[in-house]
Amino acid sequence: MALAKAETSSTQEIGAYPIHDKSKKLYMSFMYVTFISLLIGGLMGLLQTFVRSGKLSLPWGIGYYQILTVHGVILALVMTTFFIIGFQFSLMEKSVGMSDKQRKWGWVSFWVMLIGTIITATTILLGKASVLYTFYAPLKGHPAFYIGLALVIIGSWIAAFVNWHQIAVWKKKHPGEKTPLPAFMVAINMIMWFIASLGVAVAVLVQFIPWSLGYASTINVLLSRTLFWYFGHPLVYFWLLPAYMTWYVIIPKIIGGKIFSDALARMSFVLLLFFSIPVGFHHQLTEPGIHPTWKFIQVALTMMVVIPTLMTAFSMFATFEITGRKKGGKGVFGWMKKLPWGDVRFLAPFLGMVGFIPGGAGGIINASHQLNMVVHNTIWVTGHFHLTVATVVLLTFFGVTYWLVPHLKGRKLTPQLNKLGIIQSIIWSVGMLIMSTSMHIQGLKGGPRRSEFSEYGGTAQAQEWIGYQVAQAVGGTILFVAILLMLYIFVKMAFFAPKGETEYPIAQEEPDAEPTPAWFENWKMWVGITVALILFAYSIPVFDMIQYSPPGSPPFSWPIGN
């Protein structure tokens, strides 16, 4: 049985709700933190590449692992989370509306996250938590580092409950209607985030904070890493799904088309919910203490993610071709000429999509047991990470920024800023191509990750790595230029661009698309299947880690001896 299509009245079309002026201030606050984080994290990344190339020694007693931790935490955790929650809040208000009470709780979410960020960043900058963004035990950070991280997670949970409440209120007013597609996507992402972040919350509250305060003398290292990767892999999809939201819902409107299939988009998100969480063991394939059977099961579940990924690729290129042909494109590839290549709102996300091709292929390699043995703990993994997050996700987020900030600030994206945006997107892509490619090649030659410059006693193998590390510094420099240009464009759009109205581009579905089945609204079923998969994949291994755990490890601080 299928749901009837929504009526065509403006109040029931996707994206029909206006964004209140009070909400715009909230969403822009998330954007300000995002781009401040981009500057700080980007600068740390630049310094990091210089140190790894052997061309720079850090002054004033600053440690390499200190800047590496800042780079990872500020960009991978802070910048992405603030952008995603701010963007998703705006999507929710456009799709289902936002009450004054919900908006107040949105501010609570922002301030709790910001306070946690400040606490965490301060401990890192003071050299008290050089533990990298994975904060692997037995490396110990200052207790405030873990407390700050806990506050960031709690703030994000508040945002999740606000989003779910928005949908509940809308459903009461629109009984029998399908949840608007953007709201459905946000709900799926926040369900995944909440379930996944329970793992790192347990690790921080039960293991790390008591251990760092001295109330526990040792820590179960295997259990702590398992709880982290229970969270750490779905964290990647927490970044990716807002990019998918943009591709499915925003890009069709920008190119003058419509959503190819509402049902296909929903199914891809549901499948990503299923197969994003119970797969953390593919990050622990070399970890002792986990039975190979459970590693195999989670690797098999990891490979299932290929299905919704290919569904998304099919949907996007179907949208591109249909739109291009409606605009007069002829021949096999003539439709491509009709796409708006001169519009940075389209070009930046499209370049991100292109980056997902090698990025996705690298992910399959990382998750394959035999191939992982070749690249595990090499800088190949870092190169893959920069393809997926720093290319696919960030370029899409930049594309969103070019219309979201003008919309929230009541300004226009001028032709000059659009041209600068195109230049910025190309500079970013070139810098990432150089840096990521050199990382991949160096990784295949055995170059380690998480390590500063060393000639390893003059060994011949280490000499082969130096040229690639210099190339990474070149790519990092180009990327930092792109960051500075992006910040300039952001400031211009937020404060100096001409006043005017900028559209919040949300596409409607193709009129002849198949109706969306009613069972997509069965939230209990989707959550139930997800929990069942998690229990199947993790219950016995985690029980064994607790039941048969080794004595545990005392804490170590970096530099060793602190």
Side-chain angles (χ1 to χ4, degrees):
M1 180 181 179
L3 283 172
K5 289 187 177 295
E7 297 176 11
T8 57
S9 62
S10 61
T11 58
Q12 295 184 8
E13 288 184 354
I14 301 177
Y17 291 85
I19 295 181
H20 196 281
D21 287 343
K22 294 181 181 178
S23 298
K24 292 178 180 180
K25 295 178 181 178
L26 171 61
Y27 308 153
M28 279 305 301
S29 296
F30 280 99
M31 295 301 115
Y32 293 140
V33 177
T34 295
F35 283 93
I36 292 171
S37 301
L38 177 64
L39 176 61
I40 296 171
L43 177 60
M44 296 301 106
L46 177 66
L47 294 175
Q48 178 191 335
T49 60
F50 284 167
V51 172
R52 276 186 61 89
S53 69
K55 305 300 182 184
L56 174 69
S57 295
L58 294 169
W60 309 312
I62 298 172
Y64 173 77
Y65 292 99
Q66 188 177 354
I67 64 170
L68 182 54
T69 303
V70 174
H71 176 69
V73 171
I74 294 297
L75 290 186
L77 294 178
V78 175
M79 185 198 72
T80 53
T81 304
F82 272 85
F83 183 92
I84 289 166
I85 291 181
F87 173 46
Q88 288 185 164
F89 267 141
S90 73
L91 270 177
M92 291 297 292
E93 184 161 0
K94 284 295 293 181
S95 301
V96 296
M98 174 175 273
S99 66
D100 289 338
K101 185 177 181 180
Q102 291 164 347
R103 189 177 300 110
K104 289 178 181 177
W105 279 105
W107 277 111
V108 173
S109 166
F110 171 79
W111 284 112
V112 171
M113 289 175 59
L114 182 60
I115 292 169
T117 297
I118 292 170
I119 293 172
T120 299
T122 300
T123 58
I124 300 171
L125 293 171
L126 291 175
K128 300 296 184 181
S130 298
V131 293
L132 310 190
Y133 105 98
T134 52
F135 55 91
Y136 271 178
L139 279 178
K140 185 194 78 170
H142 191 278
F145 172 81
Y146 305 110
I147 293 170
L149 286 181
L151 287 174
V152 173
I153 293 170
I154 291 169
S156 70
W157 287 354
I158 294 171
F161 282 103
V162 172
N163 293 153
W164 299 332
H165 187 257
Q166 288 174 278
I167 291 177
V169 171
W170 186 90
K171 294 290 284 184
K172 287 182 180 179
K173 295 179 180 178
H174 301 82
E177 294 185 30
K178 65 183 180 183
T179 305
L181 180 57
F184 181 92
M185 291 173 161
V186 170
I188 290 286
N189 198 31
M190 296 311 276
I191 289 170
M192 180 190 69
W193 171 255
F194 180 76
I195 295 174
S197 56
L198 286 172
V200 74
V202 169
V204 167
L205 295 174
V206 176
Q207 289 188 286
F208 282 95
I209 291 178
W211 179 64
S212 64
L213 288 170
Y215 295 122
S217 58
T218 63
I219 191 169
N220 185 327
V221 173
L222 179 59
L223 179 60
S224 69
R225 294 186 183 184
T226 298
L227 289 172
F228 177 84
W229 284 116
Y230 168 87
F231 156 80
H233 188 76
L235 173 64
V236 176
Y237 292 96
F238 178 66
W239 300 326
L240 275 172
L241 289 190
Y244 279 21
M245 296 174 202
T246 303
W247 299 354
Y248 273 113
V249 176
I250 305 297
I251 295 299
K253 179 70 171 180
I254 289 173
I255 67 175
K258 295 185 180 295
I259 298 169
F260 174 71
S261 171
D262 179 281
L264 185 149
R266 291 173 197 256
M267 178 56 74
S268 69
F269 269 63
V270 169
L271 292 176
L272 286 165
L273 173 64
F274 291 166
F275 302 117
S276 62
I277 305 176
V279 296
F281 285 168
H282 81 245
H283 290 268
Q284 297 175 272
L285 292 175
T286 61
E287 198 94 57
I290 303 174
H291 196 280
T293 299
W294 295 107
K295 293 179 181 178
F296 171 79
I297 288 171
Q298 294 206 16
V299 165
L301 290 172
T302 301
M303 296 304 173
M304 297 298 291
V305 177
V306 173
I307 297 172
T309 301
L310 292 177
M311 290 169 63
T312 300
F314 170 80
S315 178
M316 291 315 305
F317 280 90
T319 299
F320 295 159
E321 182 172 359
I322 291 170
T323 304
R325 293 197 183 281
K326 285 181 177 179
K327 292 183 176 182
K330 305 294 183 182
V332 178
F333 297 109
W335 52 271
M336 294 187 67
K337 298 178 182 179
K338 301 297 181 178
L339 298 177
W341 300 106
D343 189 338
V344 70
R345 301 174 303 164
F346 167 72
L347 179 65
F350 183 85
L351 290 173
M353 295 178 198
V354 173
F356 205 19
I357 298 172
I364 295 174
I365 291 170
N366 296 342
S368 303
H369 193 286
Q370 294 86 345
L371 295 176
N372 184 272
M373 296 303 103
V374 178
V375 300
H376 190 83
N377 268 344
T378 73
I379 201 167
W380 160 288
V381 179
T382 312
H384 163 74
F385 197 70
H386 281 81
L387 270 182
T388 51
V389 180
T391 305
V392 180
V393 173
L394 279 192
L395 278 174
T396 301
F397 288 0
F398 291 160
V400 170
T401 302
Y402 288 118
W403 56 262
L404 180 59
V405 170
H407 177 83
L408 297 177
K409 295 293 290 185
R411 298 183 184 275
K412 291 184 177 181
L413 177 67
T414 63
Q416 293 79 9
L417 290 176
N418 180 75
K419 185 176 180 179
L420 280 178
I422 291 173
I423 294 171
Q424 190 275 341
S425 301
I426 294 172
I427 293 174
W428 185 275
S429 300
V430 171
M432 195 59 70
L433 178 66
I434 295 171
M435 189 174 78
S436 179
T437 301
S438 62
M439 286 178 172
H440 279 84
I441 297 173
Q442 184 188 347
L444 291 176
K445 291 179 175 290
R449 62 186 298 205
R450 306 188 183 99
S451 61
E452 59 181 316
F453 179 78
S454 174
E455 294 183 337
Y456 295 92
T459 61
Q461 184 181 17
Q463 293 301 311
E464 294 182 6
W465 302 337
I466 296 176
Y468 296 105
Q469 290 168 181
V470 172
Q472 290 158 33
V474 172
T477 303
I478 296 171
L479 283 168
F480 192 68
V481 171
I483 287 174
L484 294 177
L485 182 55
M486 185 69 222
L487 290 168
Y488 171 79
I489 296 170
F490 175 80
V491 171
K492 290 285 287 185
M493 289 190 300
F495 301 107
F496 302 107
K499 293 283 188 178
E501 294 293 325
T502 295
E503 179 188 28
Y504 194 114
I506 295 183
Q508 305 300 314
E509 188 181 10
E510 287 282 359
D512 57 349
E514 288 293 322
T516 301
W519 41 262
F520 275 112
E521 297 296 314
N522 193 339
W523 294 98
K524 292 180 181 179
M525 179 170 67
W526 305 137
V527 174
I529 293 173
T530 303
V531 172
L533 285 169
I534 293 168
L535 292 175
F536 168 68
Y538 274 104
S539 293
I540 294 176
V542 170
F543 176 81
D544 287 344
M545 290 173 198
I546 298 172
Q547 182 75 11
Y548 306 109
S549 64
S553 174
F556 293 86
S557 297
W558 187 264
I560 299 299
N562 277 10

